[in-house]
Amino acid sequence: MAATADETRVVEGVKTQLFIGGQWRDASGGATLPVEDPATGEIIAEVADATNEDAGAALAAATEAFATWRNVAPRDRADILRRAYDLIHARTDELALLMTLEMGKPVSESKAEITYANNFFRWYSEEAVRINGRFTVNETGKGRVLTLKQPVGPCVFITPWNFPLAMGTRKIGPALAAGCTCVVKPAKQTPLSMLALAQILEEAGLPGGVVNVITASSSGKIMQPLIEDPRVRKMSFTGSTPVGKELIRQSAEQVLKVSMELGGNAPFLVFEDADLDQAVDGALLAKMRNGGEACTSANRFHVHESIAQEFAGKLAAKIGALKVGRGTEDGNAVGPLIDDTQRQKVSGLVDDAVGKGAKVLTGGKVLDGAGYFYAPTVLSEVPDDAELLKEEIFGPVAPITTFSSDEEAIAKANDTEYGLVSYVFTTDVNRAFKVIEALETGMIGFNQGMVSNAGAPFGGVKQSGFGREGGPEGIEEYLETKYVAMNAGTEPTPL
Ligand code: NAP
């Protein structure tokens, strides 16, 4: 399929080299790696394929820049983030088209991601000037306690393909505000959005070396030496739990400060007193945002048996009506999956559930033609032993099961090694709090199908990871607390 003039322009506008120490350069071996449009299977760009030597140069640049960036006035750091925010805001349309071309989601969803991603720059431009320590009188009355907050140091960031910009800005925003520098490695399927961001940061006046972006085909090979390098002080990863576990092991070498935003298996609970239409709208958002390729995606729907059939019918009608197709074309609500491997995984999980007795209310099949499309699917009467209740589906498939008591709903929701987010729909506030307090997840959507918000702490428990991104909590990940025991102050008055 021939690219439109706009598509060609936005792709050709991206510098596809490595961004190291404020310079754009080819990979030292001269190699490149292809970037594919998942809606067509066509190669849209070639980006530099970094070697270990390039990764080492990026870390050297981040280390050198840290010595000065940490001492740049907070207001100046804030102003650069704010300028980047303004530039991104002004270029939302072209950044959204670029994101859709490399990742597949509809342009309207890409625009929503750009706004969400950019909100982290605005939020942390405001936090940069509010990094506070404390000063207190020692409990004995003698001496004083002083604490300082200081940047942790050079960081390594590794991000996934499903939110190509937001997963970067959630780390870069607070890191820069805190006075840290970084080496960023985006996913090989979606490097263009991060490279476009590097160009914007350069234009916003960010000094060379503060943010370095390397793209590579062999992530493990080039990142391990960095993670184990004593110059790095912080590692933040967003991606799958198996890779996260391996990176935690590598981070042990230098006892790095680590943040892990890993996989999920979000339960979506609908109680018998829920506002059913509100629950169905929430389900549509929680399931179909990003085509189901989100860590926060509702992975399984547990619905009270008295309303399960009605809920399933209404959800199937809405999901079945969604138009599937290339994200660049108006009216398409669901794009392709990222690649054929992901599509086969989704297809296999659906086949397993159907083989065990689940009913297909809509979808349930691979869509023919170019690109990696899968029909939006609703399954009812899904048996407890279906694999897709245990595994992260990462696709447009909504499996529905039932429960008969609050205790059963809570037990089913918590029956997973993951703990990122849950969704709870009920109009009974007492029931809501009982359930919310019992759920083993880092986040809850209460009568709403989306939790992402730059001003709130995003993150999981159990095998969904640790650390928080967003809100006042997010900048703490990039700050160390230094305590000064002060032999100062007046003596206490005797009793
Ligand atoms: P992934 O396979 O774990 O990859 C994530 C990133 O890690 C990519 O940049 C990848 O590079 C890199 N990587 C892979 N193996 C590596 C290794 N051995 N050493 C260093 N880096 C390595 O995950 P994904 O498929 O891209 O993303 C989907 C997963 O991310 C899902 O599980 C989803 O739930 C999770 N996620 C979590 C959150 C959250 O906030 N909790 C948000 C979004 C996504 P390559 O591209 O080169 O393989």
Side-chain angles (χ1 to χ4, degrees):
M1 180 185 293
T4 65
D6 277 349
E7 291 171 16
T8 306
R9 182 177 53 79
V10 297
V11 172
E12 289 184 349
V14 181
K15 291 184 177 165
T16 54
Q17 295 162 297
L18 308 172
F19 185 58
I20 298 176
Q23 307 291 319
W24 292 92
R25 52 159 111 160
D26 291 331
S28 55
T32 60
L33 72 113
V35 182
E36 190 189 41
D37 177 349
T40 61
E42 287 169 13
I43 305 300
I44 55 168
E46 292 275 343
V47 300
D49 188 0
T51 61
N52 284 89
E53 193 186 321
D54 299 320
L59 177 56
T63 307
E64 193 185 331
F66 178 62
T68 46
W69 181 247
R70 65 178 302 168
N71 294 319
V72 167
R75 175 58 67 199
D76 293 338
R77 297 202 299 263
D79 285 347
I80 291 172
L81 279 172
R82 180 66 204 207
R83 273 201 296 279
Y85 170 85
D86 290 338
L87 288 168
I88 292 168
H89 183 67
R91 291 179 200 165
T92 299
D93 287 355
E94 59 203 76
L95 288 167
L97 180 55
L98 182 70
M99 185 181 287
T100 291
L101 289 172
E102 66 175 347
M103 189 274 169
K105 71 180 91 176
V107 167
S108 57
E109 286 211 46
S110 294
K111 283 186 187 168
E113 181 184 339
I114 308 284
T115 301
Y116 171 57
N118 208 12
N119 284 347
F120 288 92
F121 277 7
R122 184 173 58 183
W123 179 274
Y124 288 108
S125 74
E126 292 155 355
E127 290 294 281
V129 291
R130 289 180 181 80
I131 297 170
N132 301 315
R134 70 187 168 99
F135 181 78
T136 53
V137 177
N138 193 326
E139 64 171 340
T140 62
K142 292 184 195 166
R144 301 292 181 261
V145 173
L146 174 70
T147 67
L148 317 175
K149 296 277 185 171
Q150 296 187 306
V152 290
C155 308
V156 167
F157 296 153
I158 301 179
T159 59
W161 49 262
N162 63 338
F163 292 101
L165 199 66
M167 299 303 99
T169 58
R170 285 205 315 200
K171 303 180 193 304
I172 298 168
L176 266 47
C180 296
T181 59
C182 58
V183 176
V184 188
K185 195 214 72 67
K188 60 174 164 289
Q189 287 107 325
T190 57
L192 300 176
S193 296
M194 191 63 73
L195 291 165
L197 180 67
Q199 278 173 251
I200 286 175
L201 287 168
E202 191 182 17
E203 208 178 318
L206 189 72
V210 176
V211 172
N212 305 275
V213 178
I214 54 174
T215 49
S217 58
S218 321
S219 298
K221 187 167 143 258
I222 71 155
M223 296 314 283
Q224 184 168 0
L226 257 54
I227 295 166
E228 295 179 351
D229 189 299
R231 290 171 294 178
V232 171
R233 292 310 320 140
K234 163 92 194 176
M235 154 82 202
S236 180
F237 171 74
T238 300
S240 62
T241 296
V243 173
K245 286 182 184 178
E246 172 55 27
L247 298 182
I248 293 169
R249 279 190 279 271
Q250 293 175 16
S251 299
E253 186 62 29
Q254 297 294 336
V255 193
L256 288 187
K257 198 173 160 85
V258 177
S259 302
M260 288 281 148
E261 299 285 353
L262 307 177
N265 179 2
F268 189 107
L269 306 179
V270 188
F271 292 87
E272 64 271 34
D273 57 28
D275 174 331
L276 207 59
D277 290 328
Q278 185 184 50
V280 170
D281 288 345
L284 193 68
L285 185 59
K287 180 70 255 179
M288 296 309 297
R289 178 169 168 251
N290 229 39
E293 291 177 312
C295 53
T296 51
S297 185
N299 207 56
R300 51 208 165 97
F301 293 82
H302 302 290
V303 185
H304 191 269
E305 58 190 6
S306 63
I307 53 165
Q309 204 178 347
E310 193 183 354
F311 175 85
K314 286 186 173 210
L315 186 62
K318 291 216 172 194
I319 286 187
L322 295 174
K323 211 171 148 216
V324 183
R326 205 166 174 229
T328 50
E329 286 160 21
D330 284 349
N332 288 335
V334 185
L337 293 169
I338 191 69
D339 56 26
D340 197 43
T341 309
Q342 185 56 28
R343 184 166 66 167
Q344 280 180 31
K345 179 187 162 193
V346 171
S347 176
L349 286 171
V350 171
D351 292 349
D352 169 76
V354 172
K356 288 172 177 164
K359 303 269 174 302
V360 180
L361 299 189
T362 187
K365 59 178 188 296
V366 162
L367 296 175
D368 293 335
Y372 310 115
F373 293 94
Y374 192 86
T377 299
V378 177
L379 304 177
S380 69
E381 298 170 49
V382 176
D384 287 347
D385 62 345
E387 285 303 315
L388 82 184
L389 298 180
K390 302 185 190 77
E391 260 202 58
E392 192 175 31
I393 304 170
F394 241 55
V397 178
I400 300 172
T401 75
T402 59
F403 63 84
S404 55
S405 67
D406 292 6
E407 290 63 36
E408 188 188 359
I410 292 166
K412 282 189 163 173
N414 287 340
D415 185 20
T416 170
E417 69 268 28
Y418 294 106
L420 190 60
V421 61
S422 325
Y423 301 92
V424 177
F425 282 73
T426 171
T427 51
D428 178 340
V429 172
N430 288 327
R431 167 181 269 159
F433 272 89
K434 185 178 84 173
V435 174
I436 285 168
E437 287 171 14
L439 288 173
E440 298 168 351
T441 55
M443 300 177 287
I444 311 272
F446 173 37
N447 286 336
Q448 64 179 50
M450 196 165 97
V451 295
S452 302
N453 167 5
F458 188 106
V461 299
K462 294 162 81 176
Q463 293 195 27
S464 290
F466 42 79
R468 293 293 179 268
E469 293 187 327
E473 293 86 352
I475 198 165
E476 292 297 324
E477 305 280 327
Y478 299 95
L479 294 167
E480 293 286 15
T481 300
K482 185 179 278 176
Y483 152 55
V484 187
M486 296 186 62
N487 186 358
T490 54
E491 290 287 315
T493 309
L495 283 174

